[in-house]
Amino acid sequence: MTKRLVLCLLLALPFSLRAAPVSAPRVIDADLAKPRGEMNRMYDFCVGAGRANEGLRADWQRQLRRARTECGFRYIRFHGLFCDDMGVYQEDKQGRPIYNWQYVDELFDFLESIGMKPFVELGFMPGALASGKETIFWYKANVTPPKDYAKWEAFIAAFTRHCTERYGAAEVRSWYFEVWNEPNLDGFWMGNPAKKSFEEWAPGARAEYYKLYAATARAVKSVDAAYRVGGPATAGEGWIDETLAFCADQKVPLDFVSTHSYATMSGYLDENGSAGTVFSPDRNAITAGVQRVRAQVDRSPFAKDELHYTEWSSSYTPFDPIHDSYHSAAFILDKIRHIGSAATSMSYWTFTDIFEEAGPRTTPFHGGFGMLNYQDLAKPSYFAYQFLHRLGDTELACADPDAFVCRDTAGAVQALFWDFTITHPGPSIINQEFYARDQPAKPKGAAELHLAGLKPGAYHLLATKVGYRANDVQSAWRDLGSPAQLTRAQVATLRQASSGDPVLDEKIEIGADGRFSRHFEMRENDVWLVELRPL
């Protein structure tokens, strides 16, 4: 057959049967002899949880112990430390305060026992100290100002003294005391109960919050001036400039700035999941906001303050299936990689589905915030943090914007790389519908991993993957028919589907040139962790 005839036959083929153009593979290059610097571990500084009383449960403690070991979280933040279910405050018939720290001690002692510290959210209002009856959530957290600021200040000082006596001033100096939670939302702060609209409510509520903040900061600092107090712990990065200006003008201590952000197009505070959320189409969602707030702080008299995002996630409601989806792992890694040092910490909300703002949930996968579900099953989000924790302490220079390559003191190297593709079509469909459906991932071509500077010899190669139907417990649950209650056999099946077992587990030899090359097929939102450990 002549070359001309072959060419004619090829041209005659339907276009759909011809070979597609081959795009150049993605190349991830790193050299162990070219470090970028110490790995920034702001991502495991803190993690969130629902409320303090849940922390007294055996299942909550079991899951936190695991998350501490496998993900390395150092601090934990939760609501409701002063709610009535923690029994911290009552008054006798003469109106004299009765303080009770027994439940707080039990919780904080547990944290200490597993090597974690509290990022102390000072709230909500004990019923006997509250000025009103307004509450939020199933567990009825009181959101009103204190009826007597002198009593509130004495209560905070007594709590701080107790922590100092029990754990020592040196330890408590390493804690953070954050004043309230999201006071810029009227559901969380009834600082202006006479409001007629949100616009009328906000100025008075902000002024009342600053009164609370100043009293709280005085109380904490009265025990030890070195203790760290901060805020405003706002939703949607609100009240930043106003808080910086207030603290500067009034000479009120502000040792750190805290706020929250979620990657949704609009809305706040939807504990029942009734509003419907839409994942932001902006690839810079969250990232750009963190950088903007960092710049606001840097322009202020508090330029040296730490910036803590004490809540962040893909969605602000615990009824959003994106939290269960394989899409979450790449989303988390993209934000961590591109935020970098702009934030001191990014506290993921939350480590567990044991979270009862709307009461106990009735299904094992309901879109809960957690990285672990009720049955201790790991979601893709959990593996994002587990993989980050397995990275060595020295980050290597690497031009790929969606990768970390690290080495450790034992001579091992770890490459964590991912594809972050926003597949949500936008406002035409809410998350509660889109991410509840099966969403197969499209191919994205190969990623070529090239490593240099390895010592010659034998290595253990491990490659672990998260993505569509790879450590994807949500899809595995759908395959079972999305049962509302799980049998033991079903739990075992789902545990195997989210085991975190490596895809590759080989012994390899690195030659005298000290080089390693391997290609890895990528699909939308795939995540790979590749580890080479010297034998």
Side-chain angles (χ1 to χ4, degrees):
M1 186 178 291
T2 67
K3 291 181 180 179
R4 180 176 295 178
L5 179 57
V6 171
L7 178 60
C8 290
L9 289 172
L10 285 172
L11 291 172
L13 285 172
F15 181 80
S16 61
L17 296 181
R18 299 178 202 168
V22 178
S23 60
R26 172 183 172 186
V27 177
I28 302 163
D29 245 325
D31 188 328
L32 272 71
K34 298 179 180 178
R36 174 175 286 162
E38 184 178 354
M39 182 64 183
N40 179 1
R41 297 196 183 274
M42 60 84 167
Y43 49 80
D44 65 17
F45 190 96
C46 188
V47 72
R51 82 183 197 275
N53 191 265
E54 292 157 2
L56 302 175
R57 292 169 48 164
D59 51 355
W60 188 98
Q61 294 188 1
R62 179 180 67 243
Q63 290 192 7
L64 184 60
R65 188 186 299 274
R66 176 183 173 186
R68 162 64 180 162
T69 300
E70 296 182 358
C71 302
F73 297 117
R74 291 170 276 163
Y75 289 78
I76 186 165
R77 173 188 179 268
F78 36 73
H79 302 324
L81 188 66
F82 299 153
C83 283
D84 286 344
D85 60 9
M86 291 298 286
V88 294
Y89 184 92
Q90 297 178 49
E91 292 184 354
D92 63 17
K93 292 180 180 180
Q94 287 73 42
R96 292 173 298 204
I98 301 171
Y99 305 137
N100 172 29
W101 313 117
Q102 295 179 89
Y103 283 2
V104 173
D105 291 348
E106 185 68 25
L107 177 54
F108 283 10
D109 284 2
F110 170 73
L111 299 180
E112 182 184 51
S113 76
I114 63 171
M116 292 189 73
K117 301 173 186 287
F119 198 114
V120 184
E121 178 193 308
L122 297 168
F124 291 102
M125 193 60 60
L129 190 50
S131 60
K133 300 294 185 183
E134 289 83 2
T135 64
I136 192 171
F137 300 142
W138 173 75
Y139 55 85
K140 299 189 184 306
N142 190 290
V143 296
T144 67
K147 65 182 181 183
D148 183 327
Y149 271 91
K151 285 186 174 182
W152 168 260
E153 198 165 330
F155 166 66
I156 295 298
F159 165 73
T160 309
R161 278 194 302 273
H162 174 78
C163 292
T164 304
E165 291 164 0
R166 190 172 186 86
Y167 303 103
E171 170 62 20
V172 179
R173 286 182 194 126
S174 71
W175 296 5
Y176 294 79
F177 293 91
E178 184 183 37
V179 182
W180 213 254
N181 176 74
E182 299 190 347
N184 60 328
L185 300 185
D186 57 3
F188 279 117
W189 178 240
M190 291 299 294
N192 182 17
K195 70 181 178 73
K196 295 180 181 179
S197 68
F198 184 83
E199 289 73 21
E200 292 175 306
W201 167 84
R206 187 165 60 240
E208 190 71 27
Y209 172 71
Y210 292 151
K211 184 178 178 181
L212 180 83
Y213 181 88
T216 306
R218 280 196 304 270
V220 172
K221 296 284 189 177
S222 72
V223 179
D224 191 321
Y227 289 173
R228 291 181 284 202
V229 184
T234 41
E237 299 158 336
W239 293 3
I240 300 299
D241 284 334
E242 296 90 338
T243 300
L244 294 166
F246 167 79
C247 291
D249 292 345
Q250 301 300 316
K251 296 182 172 48
V252 175
L254 182 70
D255 299 311
F256 63 91
V257 175
S258 65
T259 191
H260 304 160
S261 184
Y262 292 90
T264 48
M265 291 184 67
S266 63
Y268 305 107
L269 189 56
D270 182 22
E271 72 269 31
N272 296 307
S274 56
T277 43
V278 176
F279 186 69
S280 174
D282 182 3
R283 287 186 63 87
N284 289 318
I286 296 182
T287 306
V290 176
Q291 293 166 346
R292 183 177 61 253
V293 173
R294 180 69 262 173
Q296 288 175 277
V297 177
D298 288 346
R299 290 192 300 266
S300 79
F302 301 95
K304 295 182 180 180
D305 273 12
E306 295 179 0
L307 173 59
H308 294 275
Y309 273 70
T310 50
E311 291 183 26
W312 83 281
S313 181
S314 53
S315 172
Y316 56 77
T317 174
F319 290 89
D320 194 330
I322 192 174
H323 294 133
D324 301 336
S325 171
Y326 73 89
H327 296 80
S328 286
F331 162 80
I332 290 167
L333 294 172
D334 176 83
K335 302 310 166 192
I336 295 300
R337 176 73 171 83
H338 296 289
I339 289 168
S341 60
T344 309
S345 74
M346 297 292 296
S347 181
Y348 189 78
W349 192 255
T350 60
F351 84 92
T352 178
D353 275 354
I354 301 168
F355 182 94
E356 296 179 342
E357 287 184 354
R361 301 299 82 217
T362 59
T363 60
F365 293 98
H366 50 272
F369 285 122
M371 296 184 281
L372 296 166
N373 87 328
Y374 283 152
Q375 289 79 24
D376 300 355
L377 297 169
K379 302 180 190 181
S381 55
Y382 184 83
F383 290 106
Y385 283 96
Q386 187 190 76
F387 289 178
L388 285 165
H389 185 56
R390 283 156 65 175
L391 297 176
D393 287 334
T394 300
E395 184 182 359
L396 303 179
C398 176
D400 191 289
D402 298 317
F404 290 108
V405 185
C406 298
R407 61 172 166 80
D408 60 31
T409 55
V413 60
Q414 308 85 26
L416 176 58
F417 50 95
W418 60 90
D419 171 80
F420 175 52
T421 299
I422 299 174
T423 61
H424 193 289
S428 62
I429 185 170
I430 60 174
N431 291 1
Q432 285 76 2
E433 296 177 14
F434 182 79
Y435 293 106
R437 300 173 184 170
D438 186 51
Q439 299 289 346
K442 296 176 182 177
K444 293 296 291 280
E448 297 281 355
L449 176 62
H450 300 312
L451 301 175
L454 291 156
K455 288 185 177 180
Y459 284 76
H460 189 188
L461 168 64
L462 296 168
T464 312
K465 182 181 180 181
V466 174
Y468 179 64
R469 296 191 174 276
N471 286 304
D472 174 11
V473 71
Q474 184 192 51
S475 292
W477 176 62
R478 285 198 202 97
D479 291 344
L480 295 176
S482 304
Q485 301 294 304
L486 296 176
T487 67
R488 288 180 175 178
Q490 289 171 329
V491 170
T493 297
L494 295 175
R495 183 160 289 120
Q496 183 57 40
S498 57
S499 66
D501 291 339
V503 176
L504 296 175
D505 187 342
E506 305 173 5
K507 180 182 176 181
I508 64 168
E509 288 287 331
I510 299 297
D513 63 357
R515 295 185 175 276
F516 168 85
S517 294
R518 186 73 66 98
H519 86 272
F520 298 87
E521 290 299 324
M522 298 291 296
R523 303 168 301 173
E524 293 171 331
N525 296 294
D526 271 352
V527 176
W528 282 97
L529 174 66
V530 179
E531 301 171 90
L532 275 75
R533 303 173 182 172
L535 291 176

